[in-house]
Amino acid sequence: VGCVAMVNGRLAAATSTGGMTNKDAGRIGDTPLIGCGNYADDGTCAVSGTGKGEDFIRTTAAVTMSNYMEFKQAPLLEAARFVVQERLPALSGGVIAVDAAGNLALEFNSGGMFRGWCSSGSLGGARGIGIYEEDEALVEA
């Protein structure tokens, strides 16, 4: 379960995990490792990931999104697509992310990803839910 938020230009991310079925004893997933499945930087974005934690750890997925935005001066959606579609192995999972302007990215490379969003202010109270790729998954501020 993950959440990202933007309030007055400040960003936050939170991620929880139910763990992985049949995991190895002593396994540590990506959730407690800042920069892997969870990261926030007011200058770029807030990211929460879901999926195969080992893949998020190997690619430091969340901080890579932030770095991509910072170093390339790229928009949120471009950074999300780069990390999820080009860095993470196929069928690894996905991310939800928000930037300081309130733009959302809900990107995944698996069969589906449960997601929901809501907004206020400049987005006029937009809200939605999605599971599959054909569901609406992006709202621009």
Side-chain angles (χ1 to χ4, degrees):
V1 177
C3 176
V4 293
M6 185 277 292
V7 177
N8 299 325
R10 301 293 312 266
L11 300 173
T15 309
S16 177
T17 183
M20 191 172 164
T21 304
N22 298 321
K23 67 183 175 236
D24 291 331
R27 176 188 179 268
I28 302 294
D30 62 308
T31 299
L33 302 175
I34 301 302
C36 297
N38 184 337
Y39 189 75
D41 180 333
D42 287 340
T44 54
C45 60
V47 182
S48 179
T50 185
K52 296 178 183 172
E54 286 75 7
D55 293 336
F56 282 78
I57 293 168
R58 285 185 193 101
T59 60
T60 56
V63 75
T64 297
M65 271 186 65
S66 176
N67 290 342
Y68 187 97
M69 289 180 69
E70 179 180 358
F71 301 146
K72 290 192 76 166
Q73 295 298 296
L76 178 68
L77 184 57
E78 180 182 325
R81 287 187 175 151
F82 169 75
V83 168
V84 174
Q85 305 302 339
E86 296 183 35
R87 295 271 312 203
L88 287 171
L91 305 176
S92 290
V95 299
I96 59 172
V98 64
D99 65 19
N103 297 307
L104 302 175
L106 306 133
E107 189 73 19
F108 58 97
N109 67 15
S110 53
M113 183 176 81
F114 288 90
R115 60 204 184 275
W117 63 91
C118 65
S119 67
S120 61
S122 64
L123 294 178
R127 62 184 186 268
I129 57 171
I131 300 173
Y132 304 108
E133 185 175 344
E134 61 271 10
D135 296 334
E136 183 180 352
L138 174 68
V139 178
E140 291 284 344

